[in-house]
Amino acid sequence: MPQSKHTQAHLSRTVPKDQSEFFKKRTRDSMEYYMGAKLLEVGINPKNTVYRWKSEIKGSQEEITISAYWGDSREKLEAEENA
């Protein structure tokens, strides 16, 4: 039975909630770079990918998540956002 192809990926990092915006931006930038590199490794062109960010406060920590969508997942996401 053929394995279905993945069309999305997610990466999360936890930082102190009270960390400065400079360091949070640096964390987000490195996450985006890492995500792009991983996508290239598995044969996905990062330029054909859309990214979405989510931030969630959990006690004294902030969980930052980057999600990458391509192919069917990108089409579905864009259709939902444009509805």
Side-chain angles (χ1 to χ4, degrees), residues 4 8 11-12 15 19 23 27 35-36 42 44 53-54 58 65 68 72-73:
S4 64
Q8 56 183 281
L11 175 66
S12 295
V15 297
Q19 190 174 51
F23 286 108
T27 298
M35 178 69 82
V42 296
I44 305 298
W53 291 93
K54 184 175 97 174
K58 295 182 174 183
T65 303
D72 294 342
S73 290

Side-chain angles (χ1 to χ4, degrees), residues 26-81:
R26 198 167 74 175
T27 298
R28 289 189 297 268
D29 289 348
S30 68
M31 290 171 68
E32 189 168 348
Y33 178 84
Y34 181 79
M35 178 69 82
K38 286 311 225 180
L39 290 171
L40 282 172
E41 272 184 25
V42 296
I44 305 298
N45 183 347
K47 295 192 184 299
N48 295 335
T49 303
V50 295
Y51 298 99
R52 296 296 181 265
W53 291 93
K54 184 175 97 174
S55 180
E56 186 178 346
I57 302 298
K58 295 182 174 183
S60 65
Q61 301 292 308
E62 181 175 351
E63 184 177 70
I64 302 169
T65 303
I66 183 174
S67 298
Y69 301 91
W70 63 92
D72 294 342
S73 290
R74 177 183 177 166
E75 292 171 14
K76 183 180 176 189
L77 177 71
E78 290 175 335
E80 289 171 0
E81 290 177 346

